[in-house]
Amino acid sequence: MKRILITGGAGFLGSRLCDRLVKEGNHVICLDNLFTGNEKNIKHLFHHPHFEFLLKDVTEPLDVAVDEIYNAACPASPPHYQKSPTFTTKTCVLGMINMLELATRHQAKILQFSTSEVYGDPLIHPQPEKYRGHVNPIGIRACYDEGKRCAETLCFDYRREFVTRIKVIRIFNTYGPNMDSMDGRVVSNFIMQALKGEDITVYGDGSQTRSFCYVDDLVEGIIRMMNSREDFSGPVNLGNPGEFTIKELAELILERIPSKSKIVYKKLPKDDPMQRRPVIDLACRELGWEPSIELKDGLAPTISYFKEYL
Ligand code: UDP
């Protein structure tokens, strides 16, 4: 039985990972400060003999014996990570150092949840891993973008300096059940607005694009990366290459939810990337992974989840 630490384990992705890894017969230690994570996502695991919950911040040092670490802890939606930007950078950087120290001490494998945000507002489209990005280092998204870029740097320096067993994934926009209804992301915002009959708030003219991956596809890719050959560290893009404008997303959601909501246009936030689509050739080749759930199919269970929530 493997002992697996998941930081940010009460969040959207972390909690889905807790479920899957407990089900597969591992001993899971979930660490979360509940800043954006939610106890309700993991409550059903509290009485499981192979699940532990640590209410702790990833920036505090930690010593537990583990075989694997999934480092997911960090607020990930722009309104949340911008609410306390210095805390976001600290979480990315100090959290990464703590977890790399832990992994090195126990010779554990560590998988870092990096992000497509390392590409910033990309000048190359679609984005392969070798693209070095176009990030505004002093903008309002930098606390997250640069924090995550520095976390990647730390991973590769620990590998070079201390032979730490690192794996880095770059996660593109992901959606599905367990998303926080209030976290301000586009999929949750639009579905909640449509369900409540409120205006659908498209920022800018809605021509900016994103690629949306269903959470189950992503979790499969994450686990394959952890189990990939020892000398493969990535970084590897994980996302769905289907690309949609934000206006198309609003229309898709309105087609699926009978609603009196109408689309309204609001100011585009600063530094909002204009386009985003992953090149996933590396994930296909190294992990034998590609997403199997199209946006139109993944929206149904996501809408059901939010309906139940309401
Ligand atoms: N967005 C929008 N309306 C909303 C929330 C977001 O039009 O109510 C836009 C946002 O400006 C961005 C895209 O949707 O262009 C994706 O935003 P999200 O916050 O989900 O993720 P990220 O910008 O980090 O990709």
Side-chain angles (χ1 to χ4, degrees):
M1 177 178 280
K2 275 190 283 192
R3 288 177 59 83
I4 303 179
L5 172 66
I6 304 175
T7 76
F12 167 41
L13 299 179
S15 61
R16 300 293 295 246
L17 206 53
C18 286
D19 275 338
R20 167 119 181 222
L21 292 171
V22 166
K23 206 176 286 169
E24 288 178 358
N26 301 288
H27 184 91
V28 171
I29 303 161
C30 163
L31 177 149
D32 208 300
N33 64 358
L34 300 182
F35 180 69
T36 55
N38 196 323
E39 247 181 31
K40 80 170 169 45
N41 290 336
I42 48 166
K43 228 180 175 159
H44 57 285
L45 293 171
F46 280 175
H47 298 295
H48 196 288
H50 291 296
F51 182 79
E52 288 175 55
F53 177 58
L54 302 178
L55 179 58
K56 237 178 122 58
D57 198 293
V58 75
T59 61
E60 297 160 19
L62 175 76
D63 197 10
V64 286
V66 284
D67 303 299
E68 292 178 354
I69 303 168
Y70 291 85
N71 188 36
C74 191
S77 93
H80 278 151
Y81 70 64
Q82 287 163 13
K83 201 152 57 186
S84 184
T86 50
F87 174 65
T88 299
T89 307
K90 277 184 196 155
T91 303
C92 291
V93 177
L94 297 179
M96 189 79 256
I97 293 173
N98 283 338
M99 290 306 116
L100 284 164
E101 287 291 327
L102 183 66
T104 309
R105 201 174 313 129
H106 292 279
Q107 289 170 8
K109 266 192 278 188
I110 178 163
L111 185 147
Q112 167 62 0
F113 281 48
S114 191
T115 165
S116 55
E117 287 291 324
V118 300
Y119 302 123
D121 189 6
L123 301 178
I124 301 277
H125 191 71
Q127 295 81 51
E129 289 85 353
K130 67 174 190 304
Y131 178 48
R132 292 182 186 176
H134 181 231
V135 171
N136 173 3
I138 56 168
I140 56 170
R141 294 175 84 104
C143 57
Y144 185 73
D145 300 8
E146 298 289 15
K148 289 285 187 177
R149 286 170 67 95
C150 182
E152 286 198 11
T153 307
L154 284 162
C155 285
F156 284 86
D157 278 336
Y158 267 75
R159 188 180 75 168
R160 283 185 283 260
E161 216 174 321
F162 307 113
V163 203
T164 308
R165 302 162 70 200
I166 60 133
K167 308 261 178 199
V168 176
I169 54 169
R170 291 181 178 158
I171 301 173
F172 284 64
N173 298 62
T174 304
Y175 68 100
N178 285 20
M179 267 189 117
D180 177 4
S181 63
M182 300 290 286
D183 84 349
R185 292 190 160 235
V186 68
V187 175
S188 45
N189 270 11
F190 286 1
I191 294 178
M192 290 297 284
Q193 288 162 346
L195 289 173
K196 292 188 196 162
E198 295 170 354
D199 288 343
I200 307 283
T201 54
V202 168
Y203 301 158
D205 63 3
S207 64
Q208 71 272 35
T209 68
R210 293 293 187 274
S211 300
F212 299 98
C213 187
Y214 188 67
V215 63
D216 290 353
D217 276 336
L218 186 84
V219 168
E220 178 61 31
I222 294 172
I223 289 174
R224 284 188 191 209
M225 181 57 174
M226 182 61 102
N227 297 324
S228 62
R229 65 185 163 86
E230 191 67 30
D231 59 345
F232 179 62
S233 290
V236 62
N237 287 341
L238 292 181
N240 190 320
E243 185 181 0
F244 296 82
T245 67
I246 294 307
K247 185 152 183 280
E248 282 169 337
L249 175 72
E251 286 161 356
L252 270 176
I253 288 172
L254 281 175
E255 277 166 25
R256 279 159 183 76
I257 301 177
S259 167
K260 53 181 185 353
S261 301
K262 53 179 191 344
I263 294 176
V264 296
Y265 294 89
K266 301 265 181 189
K267 200 166 164 271
L268 188 70
K270 262 192 144 183
D271 291 335
D272 201 282
M274 273 317 290
Q275 50 186 1
R276 184 154 313 143
R277 169 154 60 102
V279 173
I280 59 163
D281 297 358
L282 185 62
C284 289
R285 210 168 49 240
E286 283 294 337
L287 313 177
W289 176 87
E290 61 181 336
S292 60
I293 301 164
E294 285 183 43
L295 180 57
K296 63 179 173 45
D297 301 321
L299 281 177
T302 312
I303 291 169
S304 302
Y305 168 80
F306 284 117
K307 258 190 199 154
E308 215 164 285
Y309 173 85
L310 270 179

